[in-house]
Amino acid sequence: MRFFYAAPRYLLSLFVAVNATIAASALEFNQKLDLQVRADERSSNKIRYQYRARYYPSLIFTDALSVHAFVATGDEFGSSHNTFNDGAADYLYVRRTYLRHEGSYGKTEVGVIPTYKGKVSSSGLSKDGWIQGIRHVRNVKPDARLELVVGQLDSTDPADALELPKRIDYLEMEYSADFNEETSFELSVEKMTGANFFRTELRHAFSAQYTGFAELVYRLDESARKVVVGIDTEFEMFGAASELTALYAYVSEEFGQRAELTEDFLSTGHGVTAELASSLGDSRWDWFMRYDGTEFRTRFIAGVKWSH
């Protein structure tokens, strides 16, 4: 397996120079590991057997200050899977490393940061991706937050994730709030991949088990759009905690590269997705299956995953 790691000085200093301000604090190391094996069958290709590893180490200096990293397999921004029996596809990259400060005001992240501040939306950038820059989240009200992200999203090759940014080409400003305990929304403007976007999302919990969501991303310069409408439900199946997600999505052909940077992107046009996941007893293992159908191709995925 080839291991690619390129850390410029400004990122390495996050792990070293921080000690000057926290010398009196107790250092705590945390880590999380997710492993997955799956079969991926697409109408346009033969079945592939794939594996994925995601590793999340972190150093906690104080309740407010910490350093985080993300290491994953795969060589794509929108996917972290390697394919078995493919000698040219055994990749492992450090995709993120960043400093985080949290307080009553919200939080600030600087370095090679995640593409998300919390839950990953269906219309958001992939969970496996990165942005070279800074994120600041401000709690403007007890139930409202304002987020600003400034940085670079130039190369989508994980081998370049830790390169020193050369210019600012990514801007995002988002306002998110809760109407009440059941309903929340997000509004944001984005500049990325050489285009400008407006994005909105509405989520409503119909009950403790059912949550509906609707998302719209509109590309301002091309009158192109991505629309997502779906529902999440949690239930018990064969005595095990289970979750089902079903959604409809439409992506304009003119939407551009931003569509391809979402998780496991399949195709433009109209499409539906249904995903079922459940735990295997009291173990750390889960199983899952997913169907994606679009106007141009279909995909069926099934596998198991383990986390610790």
Side-chain angles (χ1 to χ4, degrees):
M1 175 176 290
R2 297 189 296 274
F3 180 76
F4 299 87
Y5 179 74
R9 291 183 179 179
Y10 86 104
L11 292 172
L12 289 176
S13 65
L14 296 179
F15 290 92
V16 179
V18 161
N19 288 322
T21 61
I22 51 157
S25 65
L27 186 65
E28 178 183 348
F29 176 72
N30 292 330
Q31 58 184 333
K32 178 184 177 183
L33 177 64
D34 292 336
L35 302 176
Q36 183 189 106
V37 179
R38 75 179 189 180
D40 181 353
E41 182 180 30
R42 304 189 184 197
S43 57
S44 55
N45 294 288
K46 66 180 183 179
I47 189 169
R48 300 182 299 174
Y49 298 96
Q50 299 180 307
Y51 67 94
R52 182 183 75 190
R54 288 170 169 168
Y55 179 56
Y56 304 84
S58 60
L59 289 173
I60 312 300
F61 299 107
T62 68
D63 291 340
L65 196 62
S66 57
V67 175
H68 304 259
F70 174 54
V71 184
T73 48
D75 67 337
E76 298 179 12
F77 186 96
S79 176
S80 54
H81 288 88
N82 285 336
T83 301
F84 285 109
N85 298 322
D86 187 344
D90 293 330
Y91 298 104
L92 184 67
Y93 295 96
V94 178
R95 296 178 179 232
R96 298 193 291 262
T97 178
Y98 57 98
L99 177 70
R100 174 186 290 166
H101 184 272
E102 298 178 273
S104 58
Y105 71 91
K107 70 176 180 180
T108 301
E109 297 172 337
V110 60
V112 185
I113 61 177
T115 56
Y116 54 92
K117 69 177 186 299
K119 180 179 176 61
V120 180
S121 303
S122 300
S123 59
L125 298 181
S126 170
K127 185 177 181 179
D128 294 315
W130 61 88
I131 300 166
Q132 300 159 336
I134 182 170
R135 166 181 288 109
H136 181 72
V137 181
R138 175 71 60 169
N139 297 325
V140 293
K141 295 180 180 179
D143 56 357
R145 297 150 298 281
L146 184 64
E147 175 189 11
L148 177 65
V149 182
V150 180
Q152 176 176 285
L153 178 55
D154 184 23
S155 172
T156 57
D157 185 343
D160 301 329
L162 301 189
E163 292 293 325
L164 189 69
K166 301 177 178 63
R167 60 192 176 95
I168 293 176
D169 62 6
Y170 183 98
L171 296 170
E172 178 185 358
M173 180 177 290
E174 177 185 284
Y175 180 78
S176 57
D178 302 326
F179 284 123
N180 48 50
E181 293 183 357
E182 293 81 25
T183 308
S184 62
F185 75 95
E186 296 179 358
L187 294 172
S188 66
V189 289
E190 308 167 342
K191 178 179 178 59
M192 67 178 82
T193 63
N196 299 316
F197 300 89
F198 168 79
R199 178 182 173 276
T200 183
E201 176 181 350
L202 178 68
R203 299 184 70 86
H204 178 74
F206 298 101
S207 68
Q209 290 77 35
Y210 295 93
T211 299
F213 55 90
E215 305 171 24
L216 168 67
V217 186
Y218 188 78
R219 179 171 175 175
L220 300 175
D221 57 330
E222 289 285 348
S223 296
R225 65 192 60 82
K226 177 174 183 176
V227 179
V228 180
V229 180
I231 190 167
D232 289 326
T233 177
E234 298 178 355
F235 58 98
E236 192 171 288
M237 182 172 60
F238 306 121
S242 305
E243 182 175 352
L244 174 65
T245 300
L247 62 86
Y248 160 82
Y250 171 76
V251 184
S252 304
E253 290 188 16
E254 303 83 10
F255 196 71
Q257 186 185 14
R258 191 192 185 288
E260 302 173 11
L261 300 183
T262 55
E263 196 103 0
D264 269 342
F265 173 76
L266 184 61
S267 176
T268 57
H270 298 275
V272 295
T273 293
E275 182 171 5
L276 175 64
S278 183
S279 58
L280 290 172
D282 296 328
S283 71
R284 297 184 181 274
W285 289 91
D286 297 328
W287 63 267
F288 62 92
M289 61 177 61
R290 188 176 89 215
Y291 171 80
D292 299 309
T294 72
E295 299 175 71
F296 308 105
R297 58 181 64 91
T298 61
R299 174 172 60 193
F300 179 75
I301 294 172
V304 294
K305 56 184 177 180
W306 177 91
S307 61
H308 180 65

